[in-house]
Amino acid sequence: METEASSFETSEMLATFLATTPLLLESWKLCSHANTAAAQSFVVNRIGDVTYVAFSGVQMVSGLDPSCRNLVPLVHSAPNGLFSALNRHGDGEEPVMVHAGLLHLFLSICPNFLNQMFQIRKNSKLVVITGHSIGGTLASLSALCLLSDLQFMMVSSLSVLCITFGSPLLGNESLSRAILQERWGGSFCHVVAKYDIVPRLLLAPLAPLTSQLHILLQFWQLSMNSPFFRELSHQLPDNETSELFHFLLEYLVKAGEESARNSYWPFGNYMFCTDEGAVCVDNAMAVVKLLHLMFAMGSASYSIEDHLKYEDYVRKVTLQFSERRGHKQGELPEYSYEAGITLALQSSGISTHEPVSGPAKDCLKMAKRMGRAPNLNCTNLAIGLSKINPLRAQIEWYKALCDESDEQMGYYDTFKQRVASRRDSKVNMNRIKLARFWNDLIQMWESNQLPHDFLKRGKWVNASQFYKLLVEPLDIAEYYRSGMHPSKGHYLRNGRERRYEIFDRWWRDRRIGEEENDKRSKFASLTQDTCFWARVEEARELLDNARSERDPMKLSLLWNNIDQFEQYARRLVERKEVSRDVVAKNSSYSLWVEALKELKSRLHQQLPPQL
Amino acid sequence: MAGGRLGENIGMREELIKKASSLAMKAHRSPGKPFLSEKSRGSPEIIIAFPGSWSVGDWFSGRSFGETKVDNLFPSVRSIGNDEVGLANEAFIRRFKEILRSLENEVKKAERRQIIFAGHSSGGPIAILATLWFLEESLKPNSSPIPPLCVTFGSPLTGDRMFPHALRRESWAHYFIHFVMKYDIVPRIMLSPFSSIERELATILSFFNPKSANFEQQSIGRDNMTLNFFMIVMRNASSLASHAACNLMGCTNLLLETVTNFIELSPYRPFGTYIFCTRNGELVVVKNPDAVLQLLFYCLQLSSEAEDKALVAYTSLQEHLVYERELQESLEMQNVVYLDLLEELPLSSDVSSSINRALNELGLSTRARLCLRCCWREYKTGCEVRQIGYYDAFKLQKEDRDFHANVARLELAGMWDEIIEMLRRYELPDGFECRKEWIKLGTNYRRLVEPLDIANYYRHLKNEDTGPYLIKGRPKRYKYTQKWREHAERLSIGSGSESCFWAEVEELRTSNNGSFDAMEDRILQFEQRVYRWVSAQELGKDVFLDEATFMKWWKKNLPSQHREASCLKKFIGG
């Protein structure tokens, strides 16, 4: 029974909600204060339970300098693992990259910021980080840095919200995707005035227009710092600003179409503010298109003035709740969804007879996630889970059979050395089907198709953990069986599927207070360290090398590692945290222990008596 | 959207409504009395009306929205499976408790008459709580079979979302009838945190107090402070309404959740039948609590930027005091509109129909109408849940050694888990947990399958991985279905755990090294429960077979003098 995700348009309702909260207005007030009073720095203000941190938009001009426009990898350009959570490896993906100049600016302000945050975190659980113009990108980087730290420290007691006003773009598509995967998109809200040129600037290569940009930047910064300078806008050279406007417009037309690789890309939510209202959109492609369509309705002078008009927009949108706002012109569709789109379009300041209204409508439709509602997805997954549970049960059964079997190899080694029997290939099939189920689930989670509190449900965390405990050993077996490691390297570093790392994290982050029981009277039903067998495989290689190695330095290193593994494994066995298949007589672990003993005694015999 | 005359539709005669509104206003003017009661000769009803209070402390106490958990006075105001207890305004509860003693006496005098509890302003919450108390009492044996009615006029909101949930589940919601004037500010006050209106509230309340010098004073109504108060209340109502609408519309944007962490949203929710009244005599009847919440906000919106805000703010105070007069007229005119087919509301205001006339009277823009449309919920998920009915749970029993039985057990568990998940999110109809067929299915399932799960749990030594089954390992699907039955049959909480029999045995077997002395009390209690279960045939006598774990343990570990005296002796042969 397929159902539409929902038959309502919510981009406008969400913006309405946001505008009735004090967050938007208080953020702007502090931004405005930071612009005039805290050039090149930031200010902190606490209102009730919420602490606001605003970065001044008045910064060293080099920030937007075209020479600094190039993207640099974020994780490796920042010291002390500041953004380690955004590290993406493998998959042949482009690394997460950000604007070099803006990152540089942030890093210079960062120690001071982290100091302040240390103080703030002592007595505040709610932090809003905000900034106007370049201050907005500093706010975004600060929020990313904070979120990354929270994830690393496994703290969940602090909520972070970043609200920027007219901020330039910050990073590439990988950044945008990484933020989605971490489910941080909801922590970023970029407020963009209808015609403001700044949030659009980095969608075009600016090198040919360096001089115009410099003049503009100077003008904006002076005006932010002291409203008196705003009078000067008419002194800006008309032809040059108009040249910039048209240059940019040309690129914006193409921005949504071309491959976005190696260029700037929006992330998080965009709240577009117009004289008619506001809409909130979180689909990056729709954001890029709306950035273009609204810009195209403006003019050179609007595009420059709007960057300084956030005060008006914010005041207006936060007062809008008190008035009845009806449908203004044209026919109103009778279907709720279509009517909602029409109203959202009206709030975007695009009237129906405008040529851009058609494409803008498509954008809003695209922004809405199609498919089933998260809760229904979750229901379906649960039914899916109950359907694949039998597959898992068969693997459990297989394990029990191996444990009972006379060969005494345990299921890891039995599976690894299997010859084409029907039973083994059935288990292999199940393994693959289970992997597909869990990969799909992760994909749905990361693309926000599941309910927010999905992981707070013990069921899924427990099921993923149990799956991992049972099946990862088979994945390891398959990896070494098919001879992947000589070409790709060992499993632990190079072969482990991303899903297991995610499940590790889910398990680690689950409700605290479930203390582990450390006394076991029998061997655990499943080995608690799922990478145990991968470590055994590495230890086997170590032992092989130790037999042949002649270089004493390398040899001592090898022995060091062997000892380490031996101690680790012995502790697990003593604490009964391994399942009985590990200590089965013919398991590769038992064989390894034997081999070690033999090698040691052989070495003892070889030792010259004087030692 | 037919519905006929108001009185017939809501189950309360017009003449009775008028009397109740007069008595409710009169109660304000009778100082020192906890309530007024009126029974006219020969009439089958008695009206009890409660006065309001105008001191700030009687409206808000302590916390930001002044809410507290309802205690054992209202045991039904909770969710069964989730076991969430409802929240209600602490100050109102306190005032209700103060008059409870004398109310009990008055109620006894009612004899075989129907009681109408009534209240205007903050007398409303007392009438609501009194009605609820009366309904709770009527569940006890030998109590009055005549259901009460509750009618309030401009009452502030009293309880959280558990009220609409529990009252609909118990089929009590239709006993509650609330009249709200279009602009009356009072029913909206509880949507704002106390801290935001602390400065203005005392003065505003004095405007309503007949004994205050400020009573109905234009100087107050026209004051800037009133405008300020009005805007704050409206802003908070807007936050809550748009937040609710985002959720009802299925907004999946993560920003919604983040922002919600940063602000305080009122826990209070409407319940029962709401009748919105305009000065032109229009009566709009709404029974959907989500739609009422939207209307509480959208009715306040100004028609345009040009409208005199200060005047509207003044009106929002005045309209709190006009119920008696306005209702006399409106009830005569009978311009009644029932908003029940919400999904078909006209969006555009220029179609001519009686519905549209009423919606225009309430000042509902297209956006407001969309928000009302989204309150209409179809429980599609319920249909999917039905699949479970196709599984014949009894098949399991016959082939429980079979691998396929285990597979069926796993599949069935998945289905049940999903039902529980939907209940946890309140996505099933409110009355779901009271439906007989589901309680029966759940109980059968639980008695049949839970012992297998327990056996598995202890066989795989999961008690050493996670802890005792009853504390750490028991799946929600069994806890919930047990609570359904306990609620339906009015059993004490926890007494229906017969399906956990084996888990208790396992725990007794393994704890304290099986020493009898240390656990004597626990064992005695357990035996009494087993006695009750077996006597009531909730537990099969096969547990007493010699080969069963229970008997092995009982015979081996318990001293013979205990066994001789045990209440289970009569079931155990030899």
Side-chain angles (χ1 to χ4, degrees):
Chain A
M1 194 191 319
E2 287 293 320
T3 25
E4 255 266 293
S6 89
S7 51
F8 293 93
E9 162 59 30
T10 56
S11 62
E12 192 194 5
M13 190 45 71
L14 183 59
T16 307
F17 171 58
L18 194 57
T20 54
T21 70
L23 296 167
L24 211 57
L25 189 59
E26 295 299 347
S27 297
W28 171 255
K29 278 190 199 161
L30 199 65
C31 281
S32 161
H33 174 66
N35 282 349
T36 49
Q40 290 162 43
S41 180
F42 59 90
V43 288
V44 179
N45 186 26
R46 185 168 170 157
I47 302 170
D49 294 333
V50 185
T51 303
Y52 293 83
V53 181
F55 285 87
S56 175
V58 182
Q59 300 287 347
M60 293 301 282
V61 176
S62 71
L64 273 186
D65 203 304
S67 62
C68 293
R69 184 186 178 266
N70 43 340
L71 288 157
V72 292
L74 174 63
V75 181
H76 299 294
S77 311
N80 311 326
L82 271 183
F83 299 96
S84 53
L86 292 171
N87 202 2
R88 288 287 177 279
H89 53 81
D91 304 3
E93 222 181 281
E94 197 184 36
V96 170
M97 309 235 265
V98 296
H99 190 287
L102 293 170
L103 179 63
H104 181 74
L105 198 57
F106 168 72
L107 291 177
S108 69
I109 230 173
C110 182
N112 199 355
F113 167 74
L114 289 178
N115 256 337
Q116 278 280 341
M117 269 324 292
F118 182 71
Q119 297 299 328
I120 291 169
R121 276 161 77 166
K122 279 184 192 162
N123 47 24
S124 196
K125 305 229 166 316
L126 303 168
V127 179
V128 175
I129 304 178
T130 181
H132 178 206
S133 193
I134 295 179
T137 47
L138 294 178
S140 295
L141 281 166
S142 306
L144 283 174
C145 168
L146 203 54
L147 287 167
S148 178
D149 186 46
L150 290 176
Q151 196 213 67
F152 180 73
M153 309 283 285
M154 287 187 265
V155 185
S156 53
S157 59
L158 188 75
S159 291
V160 181
L161 176 61
C162 173
I163 300 179
T164 73
F165 299 91
S167 162
L169 293 171
L170 174 63
N172 62 351
E173 198 183 356
S174 294
L175 175 70
S176 179
R177 198 176 319 121
I179 286 173
L180 269 181
Q181 286 176 350
E182 296 298 329
R183 297 177 62 84
W184 292 344
S187 294
F188 294 89
C189 180
H190 306 289
V191 181
V192 169
K194 190 175 179 189
Y195 307 117
D196 185 358
I197 194 171
V198 177
R200 284 123 170 145
L201 272 181
L202 289 172
L203 289 170
L206 298 171
L209 296 159
T210 314
S211 65
Q212 288 96 321
L213 264 183
H214 267 289
I215 299 169
L216 266 178
L217 272 176
Q218 229 158 21
F219 160 71
W220 280 324
Q221 301 227 343
L222 281 173
S223 313
M224 281 179 211
N225 203 230
S226 137
F228 162 75
F229 284 100
R230 267 177 226 192
E231 312 295 319
L232 299 178
S233 70
H234 52 85
Q235 291 182 12
L236 289 170
D238 266 348
N239 52 346
E240 293 192 8
T241 55
S242 130
E243 190 184 343
L244 182 64
F245 177 81
H246 289 290
F247 178 78
L248 190 53
L249 194 55
E250 215 167 289
Y251 273 92
L252 281 175
V253 177
K254 287 179 277 178
E257 292 160 11
E258 267 178 297
S259 151
R261 263 169 182 276
N262 226 337
S263 68
Y264 288 87
W265 202 245
F267 62 89
N269 276 277
Y270 271 69
M271 181 171 175
F272 291 97
C273 286
T274 73
D275 286 332
E276 306 299 324
V279 289
C280 237
V281 180
D282 69 347
N283 175 314
M285 183 57 97
V287 168
V288 170
K289 292 202 164 154
L290 283 174
L291 280 171
H292 161 232
L293 294 172
M294 291 189 180
F295 192 68
M297 294 168 68
S299 70
S301 60
Y302 281 165
S303 74
I304 286 154
E305 285 160 16
D306 252 14
H307 189 56
L308 300 172
K309 278 175 67 180
Y310 283 90
E311 173 92 27
D312 300 344
Y313 282 118
V314 170
R315 299 246 171 228
K316 192 154 191 165
V317 75
T318 54
L319 271 178
Q320 224 166 26
F321 72 91
S322 67
E323 275 163 43
R324 237 173 270 165
R325 292 188 305 129
H327 172 60
K328 283 195 175 148
Q329 13 130 332
E331 193 87 342
L332 186 70
E334 199 33 49
Y335 289 109
S336 304
Y337 179 61
E338 294 290 331
I341 291 279
T342 308
L343 292 174
L345 211 57
Q346 186 186 309
S347 279
S348 319
I350 300 172
S351 62
T352 35
H353 54 256
E354 210 82 49
V356 299
S357 79
K361 210 178 245 184
D362 295 341
C363 267
L364 288 171
K365 286 186 181 170
M366 173 171 70
K368 184 173 124 95
R369 240 165 261 97
M370 281 310 182
R372 298 160 66 102
N375 287 343
L376 282 178
N377 280 332
C378 195
T379 307
N380 260 15
L381 272 182
I383 293 169
L385 181 66
S386 66
K387 293 261 157 64
I388 60 146
N389 261 337
L391 304 184
R392 199 200 66 203
Q394 282 173 346
I395 297 184
E396 249 174 284
W397 198 31
Y398 175 75
K399 174 177 183 298
L401 275 176
C402 295
D403 284 348
E404 301 295 334
S405 134
D406 294 338
E407 291 174 25
Q408 298 209 29
M409 297 217 294
Y411 78 130
Y412 173 78
D413 288 284
T414 312
F415 188 70
K416 189 177 155 193
Q417 294 164 32
R418 69 183 188 266
V419 279
S421 89
R422 261 187 71 189
R423 189 192 64 191
D424 293 325
S425 62
K426 175 107 200 225
V427 167
N428 194 32
M429 209 54 205
N430 287 357
R431 182 182 69 88
I432 292 166
K433 283 183 188 160
L434 286 167
R436 193 187 308 143
F437 172 83
W438 287 102
N439 281 345
D440 287 351
L441 180 135
I442 288 174
Q443 194 268 328
M444 288 174 90
W445 168 243
E446 289 183 337
S447 57
N448 193 20
Q449 294 177 50
L450 296 177
H452 305 312
D453 59 352
F454 183 69
L455 288 188
K456 295 196 184 109
R457 304 178 189 178
K459 171 179 178 162
W460 293 102
V461 177
N462 290 338
S464 66
Q465 170 74 358
F466 193 62
Y467 158 73
K468 188 182 78 182
L469 289 174
L470 183 68
V471 183
E472 187 170 7
L474 296 183
D475 280 3
I476 299 171
E478 184 64 25
Y479 188 82
Y480 286 98
R481 172 191 158 86
S482 55
M484 301 282 265
H485 87 277
S487 56
K488 278 184 76 175
H490 275 292
Y491 176 84
L492 270 178
R493 295 206 58 162
N494 307 296
R496 198 168 187 224
E497 293 277 350
R498 186 155 157 267
R499 62 175 177 275
Y500 293 124
E501 287 168 17
I502 290 168
F503 295 156
D504 279 346
R505 205 159 83 207
W506 290 2
W507 184 243
R508 211 179 55 195
D509 292 348
R510 75 196 189 283
R511 274 165 303 148
I512 27 174
E514 287 178 53
E515 69 293 336
E516 308 271 321
N517 193 337
D518 46 19
K519 276 177 282 157
R520 286 174 192 273
S521 63
K522 280 201 207 168
F523 282 119
S525 51
L526 291 164
T527 303
Q528 299 295 301
D529 178 356
T530 53
C531 289
F532 178 81
W533 290 109
R535 296 184 216 283
V536 172
E537 294 289 351
E538 290 188 20
R540 264 173 43 156
E541 194 185 70
L542 289 174
L543 209 57
D544 285 347
N545 291 347
R547 284 199 189 96
S548 52
E549 185 59 63
R550 291 290 165 259
D551 180 346
M553 285 286 282
K554 284 187 186 157
L555 195 59
S556 96
L557 194 69
L558 281 172
W559 276 108
N560 210 344
N561 288 336
I562 291 173
D563 285 346
Q564 257 177 23
F565 172 77
E566 195 197 359
Q567 279 168 21
Y568 147 86
R570 203 191 302 139
R571 212 186 64 232
L572 279 190
V573 173
E574 276 166 8
R575 291 162 56 100
K576 301 204 180 344
E577 284 184 1
V578 293
S579 135
R580 54 187 278 208
D581 60 296
V582 168
V583 291
K585 206 176 101 215
N586 297 321
S587 80
S588 30
Y589 172 68
S590 298
L591 295 178
W592 182 85
V593 174
E594 286 304 313
L596 179 67
K597 238 185 251 163
E598 200 188 294
L599 182 62
K600 275 188 174 164
S601 69
R602 209 174 66 216
L603 286 175
H604 267 289
Q605 287 165 3
Q606 287 172 354
L607 281 182
Q610 62 266 35
L611 278 174
Chain B
M1 300 203 186
R5 289 182 68 84
L6 180 72
E8 285 155 27
N9 185 285
I10 63 173
M12 184 174 187
R13 300 197 310 278
E14 283 87 358
E15 157 238 336
L16 212 52
I17 297 172
K18 287 182 204 164
K19 265 192 203 158
S21 77
S22 304
L23 196 65
M25 296 312 289
K26 205 170 142 197
H28 292 319
R29 298 190 294 271
S30 314
K33 292 194 182 163
F35 46 76
L36 296 183
S37 70
E38 182 181 292
K39 42 190 170 225
S40 27
R41 245 176 299 125
S43 132
E45 294 99 0
I46 169 171
I47 304 174
I48 301 180
F50 302 88
S53 161
W54 320 106
S55 85
V56 172
D58 284 343
W59 287 65
F60 280 102
S61 66
R63 309 246 306 273
S64 47
F65 290 92
E67 75 275 25
T68 183
K69 282 188 179 168
V70 300
D71 49 17
N72 39 27
L73 264 183
F74 308 109
S76 296
V77 185
R78 61 180 180 97
S79 54
I80 299 176
N82 296 335
D83 206 14
E84 253 185 281
V85 178
L87 302 173
N89 184 307
E90 191 175 0
F92 297 156
I93 294 243
R94 197 195 65 232
R95 279 179 55 219
F96 170 69
K97 282 186 182 166
E98 284 166 10
I99 59 126
L100 181 56
R101 179 71 63 74
S102 44
L103 183 66
E104 268 176 292
N105 289 328
E106 189 69 25
V107 165
K108 275 186 201 135
K109 285 190 260 168
E111 287 161 356
R112 300 200 53 80
R113 273 188 270 242
Q114 184 183 34
I115 305 182
I116 316 285
F117 296 97
H120 168 252
S121 191
S122 60
I126 311 299
I128 289 170
L129 295 172
T131 314
L132 207 48
W133 164 79
F134 187 89
L135 286 165
E136 297 276 9
E137 289 291 303
S138 69
L139 291 176
K140 295 179 181 163
N142 306 326
S143 52
S144 158
I146 306 172
L149 277 178
C150 171
V151 58
T152 73
F153 308 92
S155 166
L157 296 180
T158 307
D160 74 343
R161 66 198 170 98
M162 211 47 76
F163 278 71
H165 171 70
L167 291 173
R168 283 200 286 190
R169 183 191 66 219
E170 303 294 330
S171 311
W172 289 348
H174 62 280
Y175 298 137
F176 295 83
I177 297 158
H178 311 283
F179 287 91
V180 171
M181 291 299 300
K182 175 177 189 256
Y183 283 112
D184 183 358
I185 197 75
V186 174
R188 282 99 174 175
I189 286 181
M190 289 296 156
L191 301 179
S192 302
F194 179 47
S195 55
S196 70
I197 49 173
E198 201 174 357
R199 269 183 306 155
E200 295 90 358
L201 190 60
T203 321
I204 297 291
L205 290 180
S206 71
F207 181 92
F208 303 132
N209 183 358
K211 287 190 280 312
S212 158
N214 289 337
F215 183 56
E216 291 199 81
Q217 285 302 306
Q218 192 177 9
S219 59
I220 301 288
R222 282 291 193 175
D223 196 278
N224 211 22
M225 172 216 60
T226 300
L227 174 59
N228 206 19
F229 180 78
F230 177 76
M231 292 303 279
I232 293 169
V233 171
M234 180 152 61
R235 176 182 290 275
N236 282 297
S238 169
S239 275
L240 192 63
S242 51
H243 181 261
C246 279
N247 281 322
L248 288 169
M249 289 177 173
C251 173
T252 56
N253 195 320
L254 293 170
L255 183 63
L256 179 64
E257 204 203 357
T258 311
V259 170
T260 309
N261 288 337
F262 280 77
I263 57 167
E264 291 182 296
L265 288 173
S266 170
Y268 296 111
R269 294 292 181 278
F271 61 86
T273 305
Y274 269 73
I275 299 154
F276 286 85
C277 323
T278 72
R279 279 288 182 81
N280 291 339
E282 206 73 48
L283 298 173
V284 181
V285 184
V286 196
K287 292 182 178 172
N288 178 321
D290 295 317
V292 173
L293 184 70
Q294 297 296 328
L295 282 173
L296 282 175
F297 164 63
Y298 279 108
C299 286
L300 288 185
Q301 275 191 323
L302 307 169
S303 60
S304 70
E305 212 172 334
E307 190 170 357
D308 183 357
K309 280 184 195 159
L311 186 64
V312 175
Y314 184 23
T315 312
S316 81
L317 299 192
Q318 287 175 313
E319 286 206 346
H320 186 53
L321 297 168
V322 299
Y323 285 92
E324 196 179 354
R325 196 179 61 231
E326 288 292 328
L327 280 179
Q328 298 286 351
E329 289 175 24
S330 313
L331 290 172
E332 291 305 318
M333 287 159 61
Q334 288 283 337
N335 284 338
V336 193
V337 167
Y338 301 92
L339 289 192
D340 33 24
L341 295 170
L342 292 169
E343 81 282 12
E344 289 169 12
L345 283 189
L347 288 180
S348 153
S349 56
D350 31 70
V351 187
S352 69
S353 66
S354 63
I355 284 261
N356 235 335
R357 192 192 63 223
L359 297 182
N360 290 342
E361 275 288 315
L362 289 179
L364 300 183
S365 64
T366 314
R367 287 179 172 83
R369 291 157 191 241
L370 270 175
C371 288
L372 287 178
R373 273 192 179 184
C374 77
C375 294
W376 180 76
R377 267 198 280 181
E378 181 188 18
Y379 292 104
K380 281 185 193 136
T381 39
C383 309
E384 291 186 23
V385 159
R386 295 253 162 202
Q387 285 185 8
I388 205 166
Y390 299 139
Y391 285 81
D392 186 1
F394 287 95
K395 272 190 188 153
L396 283 172
Q397 204 170 32
K398 291 176 195 145
E399 36 181 8
D400 65 333
R401 301 174 66 89
D402 190 340
F403 182 78
H404 292 291
N406 261 329
V407 170
R409 186 169 63 88
L410 288 171
E411 289 194 353
L412 216 45
M415 301 288 187
W416 277 101
D417 282 350
E418 239 1 78
I419 297 183
I420 302 308
E421 223 18 84
M422 283 189 252
L423 278 172
R424 222 175 51 74
R425 298 189 302 256
Y426 297 94
E427 284 177 359
L428 292 178
D430 292 318
F432 186 84
E433 291 175 297
C434 279
R435 289 192 188 160
K436 289 216 177 62
E437 73 269 26
W438 280 101
I439 296 171
K440 192 167 159 230
L441 198 60
T443 307
N444 283 341
Y445 168 71
R446 181 166 56 89
R447 287 184 183 159
L448 211 53
V449 182
E450 186 167 14
L452 300 179
D453 273 359
I454 294 171
N456 245 329
Y457 193 85
Y458 285 94
R459 191 176 65 212
H460 288 303
L461 285 173
K462 287 201 187 153
N463 53 327
E464 293 187 3
D465 282 348
T466 32
Y469 175 82
L470 281 168
I471 301 168
K472 295 279 186 171
R474 194 175 186 211
K476 285 204 189 83
R477 53 183 180 271
Y478 301 130
K479 294 188 195 162
Y480 276 55
T481 45
Q482 178 186 332
K483 286 183 195 158
W484 297 354
R485 179 173 162 256
E486 286 168 2
H487 180 81
E489 302 185 9
R490 309 271 159 208
L491 304 173
S492 66
I493 289 168
S495 65
S497 60
E498 72 283 348
S499 54
C500 291
F501 172 80
W502 292 110
E504 296 208 47
V505 172
E506 290 285 352
E507 287 306 318
L508 283 172
R509 245 161 46 93
T510 49
S511 57
N512 281 343
N513 309 317
S515 131
F516 175 71
D517 297 338
M519 305 191 295
E520 187 170 356
D521 282 350
R522 208 171 131 193
I523 291 175
L524 281 173
Q525 280 173 17
F526 178 56
E527 287 183 345
Q528 273 161 15
R529 259 178 290 162
V530 174
Y531 179 82
R532 209 162 21 79
W533 292 333
V534 175
S535 308
Q537 297 185 329
E538 289 165 8
L539 194 64
K541 284 199 180 154
D542 52 336
V543 299
F544 298 120
L545 293 176
D546 279 349
E547 285 305 297
T549 324
F550 176 55
M551 271 299 101
K552 280 192 199 155
W553 167 78
W554 201 74
K555 291 196 166 152
K556 207 179 106 204
N557 290 56
L558 304 188
S560 58
Q561 69 266 36
H562 167 83
R563 281 186 285 154
E564 284 304 316
S566 166
C567 59
L568 298 183
K569 186 83 173 65
K570 78 170 212 189
F571 296 124
I572 300 162

